Amino acid sequence: MRNVKYTSTRLNLKLLLSGLLCLLVLCCSSLVHASSSTATSQQEETITVPLSDWNKLKTNLIEADASIKSSNLSLNEAQSLTVKQATELQELKIINEERAKDLTALKDINKKQGEELAKASEVITEQASSLEKASTSLDELKAEIKNNKRTEQRLRRQRDTWAISNAALFLAGALRR
């Protein structure tokens, strides 16, 4: 049994060493490949340009860079204005919503006042009708009172006339006797 154990340990050791050796070969080959690819990428290609063209290119590049910076500043200003306008627009929307609510409330108040005015108009019409009836009734009463006074005066005159005529007849009758 000892022999089998020893053989199995040796076999495991050989397998481990061969695995490490494969790993080492793999690492070395990838390092070689990486160094060869970096060596080719480090070499830059060069172009020969006359100095006057180079200066023109350099001037154009400086102008383009200044133009880009200016455009970036303008863009930043435009963006800040847009943000500011968006904020102001939101504030205006809130104000409009509040005003719409106020307007709705005022419309409701106006509607209620209109209803109250209509009721008041009906009451005024009824009162005018009542006043007209009262005025007519008052005129009738005045006319009736006037007629009653005339009748009263006429009846007094008749009574006084009868009283005087009765007194005269009584005196005439008493004197004759």
Side-chain angles (χ1 to χ4, degrees):
M1 188 117 125
R2 203 176 228 197
N3 207 4
V4 172
K5 196 175 189 182
Y6 178 71
T7 310
S8 145
T9 308
R10 260 179 133 190
L11 182 62
N12 285 340
L13 188 60
K14 283 182 182 180
L15 283 174
L16 183 65
L17 283 176
S18 64
L20 285 173
L21 185 63
C22 284
L23 186 64
L24 183 64
V25 169
L26 184 64
C27 286
C28 287
S29 69
S30 81
L31 283 175
V32 168
H33 179 66
S35 68
S36 69
S37 65
T38 56
T40 58
S41 65
Q42 288 177 352
Q43 295 176 358
E44 292 184 13
E45 295 181 12
T46 57
I47 299 174
T48 306
V49 177
L51 185 61
S52 63
D53 290 343
W54 173 252
N55 288 335
K56 284 180 186 178
L57 285 173
K58 190 175 178 181
T59 304
N60 289 342
L61 182 63
I62 291 171
E63 289 175 1
D65 191 36
S67 176
I68 289 171
K69 286 180 183 178
S70 173
S71 295
N72 282 338
L73 287 174
S74 298
L75 180 63
N76 288 339
E77 289 175 7
Q79 286 175 339
S80 67
L81 283 174
T82 303
V83 168
K84 184 179 178 182
Q85 287 176 344
T87 305
E88 290 174 355
L89 181 63
Q90 191 64 28
E91 291 172 357
L92 287 174
K93 283 181 181 178
I94 291 169
I95 290 170
N96 275 347
E97 288 173 0
E98 290 173 359
R99 287 188 178 169
K101 289 177 184 176
D102 291 344
L103 184 61
T104 303
L106 287 174
K107 283 181 180 178
D108 290 342
I109 290 170
N110 279 345
K111 185 178 178 182
K112 288 178 183 177
Q113 286 178 343
E115 291 170 357
E116 289 175 5
L117 282 173
K119 288 178 183 177
S121 177
E122 288 176 13
V123 169
I124 287 173
T125 305
E126 289 174 6
Q127 288 177 348
S129 174
S130 295
L131 282 175
E132 191 174 316
K133 286 178 183 178
S135 177
T136 305
S137 195
L138 185 63
D139 288 342
E140 289 174 1
L141 283 174
K142 283 181 184 178
E144 200 173 306
I145 289 172
K146 194 175 184 181
N147 284 337
N148 284 343
K149 281 185 181 180
R150 285 184 192 153
T151 305
E152 211 176 280
Q153 286 175 355
R154 183 178 44 96
L155 288 175
R156 251 190 226 136
R157 281 192 309 258
Q158 286 176 356
R159 183 194 67 196
D160 290 345
T161 305
W162 277 104
I164 292 173
S165 66
N166 280 338
L169 282 177
F170 179 70
L171 282 175
L175 286 174
R176 260 192 194 190
R177 278 200 201 182

